[in-house]
Amino acid sequence: MSSQNHVHSIETMEQMYSGIRSLSTRIILYQQNIANALGVYNNDLKTVDILRETGPITAGELSRYTGLATGTITSLIDRLELSGYVKRQHDPSDRRRVIIVPTYEQKSEVQEIYKPIQKAMDNLCTAYSEEELKIIHHFINSMSGMLEKQIQPIMVHDQNTSPL
């Protein structure tokens, strides 16, 4: 992958922005429907996905990642634990701390609901070479990192203050 900076036409960049916004919308709609099918709130499912990325973390750390107030996180964790999507574990190095561990991918209904998209992704990827997939993977990871940097300045940390 080249580390050169390239100049692209306005039309090409507008197509990229439009395509990415369209993809983002479809991802959100897909996730909302997955959450509905599993009987959980979309915010709860996205929180479990954050845990899948970070690995086990404390409720306070989860609150910082999501921008949700600690009371909201506690209720969210209670719901997810009741549904079997996460479990609370005591931190072995500090028994006063509780770590939130994702367990939802072990649930058969979660595995089953994601099978169609996994198969569709496998089929889609056959149209690309190994090198092209590496470039796409690099682009997706770069987009994710860029978005993370954009989220932090606009995240509303005080849940009692309306952003409007």
Side-chain angles (χ1 to χ4, degrees):
M1 272 155 279
S2 171
S3 61
Q4 296 175 343
N5 289 329
H6 301 280
V7 177
H8 302 287
S9 71
I10 291 172
E11 181 181 351
T12 298
M13 293 310 296
E14 285 177 356
Q15 288 172 345
M16 288 293 293
Y17 300 145
S18 178
I20 289 168
R21 285 187 73 174
S22 180
L23 174 62
S24 173
T25 299
R26 297 314 169 284
I27 290 170
I28 290 167
L29 293 172
Y30 178 80
Q31 283 302 131
Q32 285 175 340
N33 282 285
I34 291 290
N36 289 341
L38 292 172
V40 298
Y41 295 114
N42 190 43
N43 220 24
D44 295 5
L45 188 60
K46 293 308 340 156
T47 300
V48 174
D49 281 341
I50 290 169
L51 285 167
R52 186 183 51 78
E53 288 180 17
T54 63
I57 59 176
T58 67
E61 291 167 320
L62 192 54
S63 175
R64 285 189 291 282
Y65 269 99
T66 62
L68 298 173
T70 54
T72 302
I73 286 290
T74 300
S75 297
L76 184 151
I77 293 167
D78 289 345
R79 286 192 305 273
L80 290 174
E81 187 173 42
L82 186 62
S83 299
Y85 287 82
V86 300
K87 64 182 178 181
R88 288 175 166 102
Q89 286 183 337
H90 287 286
D91 185 339
S93 62
D94 182 352
R95 299 282 299 159
R96 296 168 295 174
R97 284 179 33 154
V98 175
I99 305 294
I100 311 306
V101 180
T103 58
Y104 85 115
E105 289 186 0
Q106 300 166 10
K107 294 176 67 80
S108 61
E109 64 266 26
V110 173
Q111 293 172 4
E112 287 301 313
I113 204 159
Y114 280 112
K115 275 186 181 177
I117 198 165
Q118 289 169 339
K119 185 175 186 210
M121 285 290 295
D122 289 346
N123 290 337
L124 179 62
C125 288
T126 63
Y128 298 93
S129 70
E130 190 73 21
E131 187 59 31
E132 288 170 325
L133 288 175
K134 287 178 182 179
I135 292 168
I136 294 167
H137 181 256
H138 179 266
F139 181 80
I140 290 170
N141 283 344
S142 296
M143 283 281 309
S144 185
M146 181 269 303
L147 282 168
E148 184 64 32
K149 289 177 185 172
Q150 298 299 310
I151 290 168
Q152 295 307 315
I154 61 174
M155 186 180 281
V156 178
H157 292 284
D158 182 359
Q159 299 302 311
N160 298 321
T161 305
S162 170
L164 301 179

